[in-house]
Amino acid sequence: MSLTNKGKSKDKKVRTKKSAGREWFDAILFAVVAATLIRGLFIEAYVIPTGSMEKTLLVGDYLFVSKVNYGARMPITPVSFPFAHHTMPITGTKAYWEGIQWDYRRLPGLGEVKRNDVVVFNFPMDADAPLSRPVDKRENYIKRCLAIGGDTIQIKDARVYLNNKPAEVPVFGEKYYYVKSDGTDFNPQAIEDLNIEAQRSSADEYIFNMTAADAEIIKGWANVKSVNPYIRPLNEFDSQIFPHNPSIKWNADNFGPLIVPKEGWTVKLDSSNYSVYERAISVYEGNKIERVGNDILINGKKTNSYTFKMNYYWMMGDNRDNSLDSRYWGFVPDDHIVGKALFVWMSWNTKGTFFDKIRWSRLLGGIH
């Protein structure tokens, strides 16, 4: 004889309600993960700290930079503190751990870096001691891409030439001009209205940092006798200029020609170009290169050529006489590219008055 229960039994699952603290933790964790993915794969905000791109970009401009245009770069240093680039904001300590380093990889993008794109990239010289940061933790810079891999770039009397043809001149690019007056002072308000950086060099001579359009306006002032661009002479050696070789007499206004390396391009190495390509071959592509007498050795083997593994770019600021750019430190490797600058979403003028702190005319403006 068997016994059965006539009543129906039900399994009861008891759900424990999350505490308020747990709900907050989950929400914050989700927000951090979502924001990290958006910043890493799609779009990220940056601010302009210096005037090297004046007047195309102004100090205090807040930009959105696309990771999609060139393809998002996968993390090279994956273990890092969220939203901190390379340094913790309060302690100043490193915001990343170098114990894990991944190879350089990039997702497919909408296109490639093009000439005249305004590009955010990691500063290549941060590879050097004492900083010696990983590629993706090097300082962020923003410049205009003047030349891509395979291009021949040259600067003649401050004019850039690409593949023996004059390059496009940035509309809002600035340069130093010598301005000579008739001895009477300039109206400070007129200079301020044009947003020109001016300094006096003598009783009747000034140095104005301005655009070509501004220079034409200044020429029309009644007390102006002459306006001439400041250009360093041909064959004047500047030790600060890449490749820092006294036998190559280049300066910021007369430079080159040189060929920008391209993936798969084989360069014939000799004493005339060794210093030009040495850093790219050694620091950026991880080879040991040295000169022993008249011989060039790469990874201990005598050679007279090298085939590049990456594309490289030549970056310059629109504010040509006030920009630390490729003229000073050379090529930017492909693995240093962060993204393309899209538009200004906010512009903050620290020198403005209460009502002029925000540059309203720049909001949501595209970058050209």
Side-chain angles (χ1 to χ4, degrees), residues 74-95:
M74 294 292 92
I76 297 173
T77 312
V79 183
S80 61
F81 194 83
F83 310 122
H85 181 43
H86 53 63
T87 306
M88 297 297 290
I90 298 176
T91 63
T93 56
K94 288 200 302 186

